[in-house]
Amino acid sequence: KDGRPWGRVKLEGYSGTHEFTLFSKDFEKFRQYIFPDYYLCIRGKVQKRPYGKDPNELEFRISSITQLADMRDAIKEICITLPVTYIDADLVESLSTAVKKSKGKATLRITIVDDSDGVMLRHFSRKIQVGITNELIDYLERNKLKYTIS
């Protein structure tokens, strides 16, 4: 409209796709990340849309973008959720081996869940800290173990 640069970015994740339009300052600030197949960490906030017909309409405003590869050192913890029915000697041994191979600085938290009784036990390791390595993530994915990284 006024000649300033802008761009559209389609973000695809595990739970869906969303398209963002970046105007002027935001476009200049984030254009270095607008490439196919970049794995990104996008932070922002939900706020009321400043321009629009509906005063209750919300938008997601991007405040920062970082490549995931640059985020590994900033990860503080990984939490692995284990249903009590999954736990057996083989899982304990293989998980222990995977965790010990992935040395790093992130806190390891394990949550054991028994959905039938509504019981949840949260534990963290004082001795073992982990790195968020491809091997550890592959192990968790391969064994269909739920995890969160923060």
Side-chain angles (χ1 to χ4, degrees):
K1 187 173 176 179
D2 59 6
R4 291 187 283 176
W6 65 281
R8 280 204 178 105
V9 179
K10 185 184 281 188
L11 178 66
E12 296 178 5
Y14 292 115
S15 60
T17 301
H18 185 77
E19 190 169 277
F20 294 94
T21 303
L22 300 172
F23 295 102
S24 86
K25 288 181 186 176
D26 286 341
F27 179 75
E28 289 298 324
K29 186 175 171 183
F30 302 128
R31 74 186 310 167
Q32 65 192 9
Y33 301 106
I34 304 174
F35 292 99
D37 300 324
Y38 266 29
Y39 294 92
L40 304 171
C41 175
I42 297 178
R43 292 185 180 167
K45 65 180 179 177
V46 176
Q47 63 187 26
K48 286 188 177 184
R49 184 179 290 269
Y51 311 104
K53 296 173 185 170
D54 182 356
N56 295 319
E57 188 176 3
L58 301 174
E59 71 176 1
F60 179 79
R61 177 80 186 241
I62 297 173
S63 60
S64 69
I65 299 178
T66 309
Q67 284 190 285
L68 279 182
D70 297 337
M71 293 290 296
R72 288 193 184 210
D73 294 334
I75 294 171
K76 298 198 181 341
E77 72 178 31
I78 183 169
C79 181
I80 302 169
T81 301
L82 300 173
V84 72
T85 55
Y86 278 31
I87 300 172
D88 61 17
D90 291 336
L91 177 71
V92 171
E93 185 177 332
S94 67
L95 179 58
S96 178
T97 300
V99 163
K100 288 176 182 173
K101 285 181 181 177
S102 300
K103 296 181 191 242
K105 296 181 181 180
T107 300
L108 172 63
R109 294 189 183 276
I110 296 180
T111 301
I112 300 171
V113 179
D114 184 351
D115 288 330
S116 65
D117 290 332
V119 176
M120 182 183 306
L121 298 172
R122 293 186 173 122
H123 304 279
F124 74 94
S125 176
R126 289 189 172 120
K127 293 180 182 179
I128 298 173
Q129 291 186 307
V130 296
I132 311 304
T133 62
N134 291 341
E135 292 79 16
L136 179 59
I137 299 302
D138 288 345
Y139 170 83
L140 296 172
E141 298 282 337
R142 193 172 53 250
N143 289 284
K144 297 180 173 77
L145 299 177
K146 292 182 181 179
Y147 63 92
T148 58
I149 297 173
S150 57

